[in-house]
Structures are given as C-alpha cells and as structure tokens.
Amino acid sequence: MLEHLFSGILTAFSPSVFPVLIFGVLGGIILGALPGLTATMGVAILLPFTFGMEPTAALVMLIGVYIGGIYGGSIAAILLKTPGTPASAATVLDGHTLAAKGQAARALSISAVASFIGGLISTIVLIAIAPLLADFALKFNAPEYFALALFGLTIIASVSSKNILKGLLAGCIGLLVSTVGLDPISSVPRFTFDVMDLYSGINVIPVLIGLFAISEGLNQLEKLHSQKKAAPPKFDHKLLSKKDLKTMLPTAVKSGLMGTSIGSVPGAGADISAFVCYNEAKRSAKNPDEFGKGSVQGLAAAEAGNNGVTGGSLVPLLTLGVPGDAVAAVLLGALIVQGLTPGPLLFSQSPEVVYGVFSSMLVANIVMLLIGLLGIRFFCRIIEVPKIIMIPIIIFLSVIGAYAINNSMFDVGIAISFGLLGFILNKMEIPSSPILLAIILGPMAETNLRKSLLMYDGSWSFLYERPIALAFIVLAVFSVYSTMKLKKKQAQAPLAE
C-alpha cells in the first residue's frame, strides 16, 4: 500500500497531472464562490472535457473541482452573507458575523485552515479504512436514514437564535415547502396547482439563492435608502492567531471525522454534514452562547464538516460502486467513461488510478489551503467595493445562478419569491437557516419514514429494534434537551444580571 501511495504522489506531481489539479481546485473555488454554481454543477460542466484525457488526470481534475467548490462556497458566505453552495449555509452563522465585525481576513483564514483539516482527515480516512466505512454504510436502510434526518431536524432549535418558537415556525415553513411535488411513494401531486414545473418539487438552490442572496441584497438596498452616506467598510488584515488555531483544532478534527462518516453514507451530503457538525460543536462547547455571534469553533465546525464529506463520499463509490452524493454520482459516470468499473476489483485491477487519486486528494487539499490563504487579501477587496455597485452585481449573479440550474425562468421566479419571503422574515426576526435545513432534510425524512413503515407493516418498532436508528433517535432527543437547557440558561442570564 505504501509503495502504491508513494507512486501516486509522484503521479500527482507529474507534468501531466499537477497543472490539471491546480486548474481543477482553482476553478472549483471560483465556481463555489458564485451563488448557484455548486460543486456538482462544476464537475458536471467539466466532465465532457475529460473524455480524451488519461484516466488519472481526468479524475484528479474533477476531484480538484469538488474539493475547491466545497471550500469556495465559504468565501461568499463570509463576505456577502450569501452561501455559494448549500454546504456553506452553516458557515454564514459565524463567518459573516466575524466579517461584519471587521475580521473578514481572520474568518477567511479560519475557514481555509478548517477546510484543509476536514479535507485532509477525510482523505487519510479514505486511504486507511475505506472498506470498513463502506461496510458501515451498507448497514443503512430506510429506518437509519429517517433517524439521521430526524437528528438533523433537531438542529433547527440550535440555529434559531434566541427565539425557538420563531425558529420552529421557520422550520415548519421549510417542511411545507418540501412537500410540494409528487408524493415520494404514491406519486400523487401535492400543492402543484396544475403547474408542471412544481411536479418535481422546489429545487433547493433557487431557495438558497433567494433566502440568502436576494433577501440580503434587498436588506442592503433598504439601508442605502435610509442612510445618505454609508461609512466605507473597514476590516483588519490579520489572519487567524495561534490562539484561534488552538481553539479551533479539536473542533475541526472532530468535525472532519464526523463529516467523513456522514459522507460515507449515500445520500447524506455536505450540507447535512455542516449543520450536524455545527450543532455537535455547539452542544459540546464550553461557551455555546458565543455560537452565531462570531464563534471560531462554530465556523471551524461548519467548514471542517462539509469538507470532510469530500473523502467520505468516495468511500462507497470506489469500494462498492455506490455514489455517496451528487458529485460522487457524476464521478461514477467519469469512471465508467474512462473504462473503469468502481468496486472491489478496481483496487486490484487499476491500483495506479486509485492511489493516484488518493495522493492527488492530499495534494489538492494543500493547494486549496495555499490558494485560500494567499487569496485572502484579494477576496477581502470585495467588501471595499461600494455597496451601490456591489448590491446590483449580487442580485444579477443570483438571478443568473438561479437560471443556470435548469435554464428555467421558473427557478428565477422561485428565487425572487423566496428573496421577498426572506426579506419579510428578517423584518420579523425569523431566521432563514431553519427553512433551508427543513427543505433539505424534509424529503429525506418523509420518504424514509414512509418506506420504514411499509417495511414494518405500519409498525413503529423500527425506531428501537435497529441499533443505528436507535442511536440517532437518542442523539436527537439529547440534542433537543441540551438545546432547550442552553436556551433556558440564556434566558435566565439577563435576569440574574
């Protein structure tokens, strides 16, 4: 194995692979930073360009786009309060708060380092124990997926700021939105109003663009209208300190391991992982009340968690031929196009390709870290652009991003509608994050609950008869209990003062 890995490292630095790797990572960062242009879209766009390439170089470029795209979403999330990808929605909670305090460079450097740690851990785990994680992923069926989704939904209480009721209201709105479309079991249309575009449900990307990008643009426009002269934004160019690194390291390592485990479960992507890791970091933190107010641990947890998925999602793909998420599904197509068959035989028949990919992932994470740190001064210039110029650009890019998903003006309408909804909810101090979280997890929870009930003839015994499902249920209960306890302490603190 070490021999193959060393050979793979030489391959990664070869003249035919290394430039392609850098191009992939840089392209992924740029795509990820643009609202609506996700890592999945980037990999899918570049897939046709790999048809004439050598297998290792082709896969390395696509994986570079994947790694860069997941990290790139944090740049827009931190600087513009607009997640470039769904995986960066949790990054907004603390990342943009730090930027608003004039610590944009610090937030970006924490994000880059945490992303590197999460990606590095996931790659090391992928190399070391891929078959074991694949066996664990095989044990997941409908009951386990439902319990995982239920555990994820309990995070709504955690990200609901000070008012849990308003957060739950936002979560209910998200769950209602997630029911639009065809029933997952019977295919009966629900809330479609005979509009064909609604039969496939409401795409999460236009919703994300609307709730975060367009609504934020409207908020900023209102501020510009009410303020005759806006003070030019100021920020500190200092990067993360040794104290920051010491504070975030344990959280980043734990979140990287959690993200790898979540990524190895087919269907559980980087967006779910980021919120789960953020919630766990908040639950176990000594100062959980700082989360949402610029917490270094919160930002590190979200970024290490979503980047931890990059290696984890390749575990079932390479060992079983089952993609872990949407990007892995595109990579599956790339493998087949190159004449390779994912599965156990891939390791014995094409070890040079497998270990070339493994080694290139290690190098790609290093390249991502270097680009992320070296580009901070350039990224921060975005904040200095006058808002009267920046806001129309953000809204324009948001509209283009919404349209580019399916080349559909209907998606643009969805984005604008949710932008107006997000603007109104902001006035009522109702958070937007629970809506997005519920839209992501709602279909997963409903579909697998229905399947579980069919498997057990209408009995709910699957909740306690299956150990993994039971473990997630216990975690969900504990998550709700710890969050309620924390909120109670926060409510009592001002009274004590």
Side-chain angles (χ1 to χ4, degrees):
M1 176 179 171
L2 289 176
E3 182 182 348
H4 286 307
L5 195 59
F6 180 72
S7 177
I9 291 174
L10 293 178
T11 301
F13 283 103
S14 66
S16 62
V17 174
F18 190 60
V20 170
L21 185 151
I22 295 176
F23 171 77
V25 174
L26 183 59
I29 291 174
I30 294 171
L31 286 170
L34 296 174
L37 301 183
T38 63
T40 306
M41 188 179 295
V43 174
I45 290 171
L46 291 179
L47 178 60
F49 294 95
T50 66
F51 291 166
M53 297 174 64
E54 187 266 331
T56 303
L59 292 172
V60 165
M61 184 176 75
L62 296 179
I63 290 173
V65 173
Y66 183 19
I67 292 172
I70 296 296
Y71 160 68
S74 68
I75 297 172
I78 291 170
L79 297 179
L80 305 175
K81 200 182 178 181
T82 304
T85 65
S88 300
T91 304
V92 173
L93 300 173
D94 288 291
H96 182 70
T97 308
L98 283 172
K101 293 178 179 178
Q103 301 174 28
R106 181 184 176 212
L108 287 168
S109 60
I110 291 170
S111 170
V113 173
S115 297
F116 168 71
I117 292 172
L120 185 65
I121 288 173
S122 71
T123 304
I124 293 171
V125 171
L126 171 66
I127 295 170
I129 56 173
L132 295 177
L133 280 177
D135 289 340
F136 174 72
L138 278 176
K139 295 178 181 178
F140 272 66
N141 208 323
E144 285 74 24
Y145 283 120
F146 166 70
L148 174 62
L150 185 65
F151 172 54
L153 286 170
T154 62
I155 300 168
I156 287 175
S158 178
V159 297
S160 297
S161 186
K162 295 181 180 180
N163 196 318
I164 292 182
L165 289 178
K166 288 184 177 180
L168 292 176
L169 174 61
C172 289
I173 293 173
L175 289 175
L176 285 172
V177 172
S178 72
T179 62
V180 175
L182 297 178
D183 183 285
I185 304 299
S186 64
S187 296
V188 174
R190 302 182 304 193
F191 308 114
T192 57
F193 307 103
D194 293 326
V195 178
M196 290 302 297
D197 289 296
L198 290 176
Y199 274 60
S200 58
I202 294 179
N203 194 312
V204 69
I205 304 298
V207 174
L208 179 148
I209 290 172
L211 286 177
F212 290 94
I214 295 179
S215 67
E216 179 63 15
L218 294 174
N219 285 328
Q220 294 297 330
L221 280 175
E222 184 188 36
K223 290 179 181 178
L224 280 178
H225 180 71
S226 61
Q227 299 173 356
K228 292 183 179 179
K229 290 185 179 180
K234 297 180 180 179
F235 60 89
D236 195 337
H237 285 282
K238 291 181 181 178
L239 305 183
L240 79 167
S241 63
K242 290 182 180 179
K243 183 181 178 181
D244 289 332
L245 186 60
K246 185 178 179 180
T247 301
M248 65 176 277
L249 192 58
T251 301
V253 171
K254 182 173 70 172
S255 298
L257 291 170
M258 287 178 63
T260 305
S261 300
I262 294 170
S264 69
V265 178
D271 42 7
I272 295 173
S273 175
F275 276 108
V276 170
C277 292
Y278 182 87
N279 186 61
E280 169 55 26
K282 184 175 182 179
R283 185 199 63 78
S284 60
K286 294 180 180 178
N287 48 350
D289 55 315
E290 291 184 5
F291 279 63
K293 301 175 183 177
S295 168
V296 171
Q297 289 176 301
L299 176 56
E303 281 303 297
N306 61 32
N307 282 270
V309 170
T310 55
S313 64
L314 298 185
V315 171
L317 172 66
L318 296 176
T319 57
L320 304 172
V322 178
D325 60 8
V327 179
V330 180
L331 291 174
L332 174 63
L335 283 166
I336 294 172
V337 166
Q338 296 293 339
L340 301 171
T341 304
L345 293 178
L346 183 64
F347 287 78
S348 58
Q349 293 178 350
S350 305
E352 71 286 352
V353 174
V354 173
Y355 286 96
V357 168
F358 286 171
S359 303
S360 297
M361 287 185 71
L362 292 172
V363 178
N365 278 288
I366 296 172
V367 171
M368 176 199 71
L369 175 65
L370 293 175
I371 293 175
L373 293 177
L374 293 174
I376 284 175
R377 286 186 175 273
F378 170 75
F379 300 148
C380 286
R381 295 298 176 192
I382 296 173
I383 298 180
E384 295 180 333
V385 177
K387 288 187 177 181
I388 194 68
I389 298 174
M390 178 56 65
I391 294 170
I393 291 174
I394 292 173
I395 294 176
F396 175 75
L397 289 176
S398 300
V399 171
I400 294 297
Y403 178 80
I405 300 162
N406 296 308
N407 294 331
S408 169
M409 285 303 296
F410 183 80
D411 285 336
V412 174
I414 292 292
I416 293 173
S417 299
F418 276 90
L420 293 171
L421 176 64
F423 178 73
I424 295 169
L425 292 179
N426 182 64
K427 295 295 179 187
M428 301 169 65
E429 296 185 350
I430 296 176
S432 298
S433 296
I435 299 177
L436 181 65
L437 184 61
I439 291 174
I440 292 170
L441 291 173
M444 181 180 176
E446 182 196 7
T447 302
N448 289 291
L449 173 61
R450 301 272 294 279
K451 287 181 179 178
S452 301
L453 290 172
L454 288 173
M455 287 170 58
Y456 281 77
D457 297 322
S459 171
W460 293 78
S461 59
F462 64 88
L463 292 176
Y464 54 83
E465 287 184 357
R466 301 176 74 100
I468 297 177
L470 179 61
F472 278 121
I473 296 296
V474 171
L475 284 173
V477 172
F478 185 70
S479 175
V480 171
Y481 170 76
S482 60
T483 301
M484 296 296 289
K485 190 176 179 181
L486 172 63
K487 297 294 183 183
K488 188 176 180 180
K489 283 184 178 179
Q490 290 176 341
Q492 291 174 346
L495 298 176
E497 292 174 1

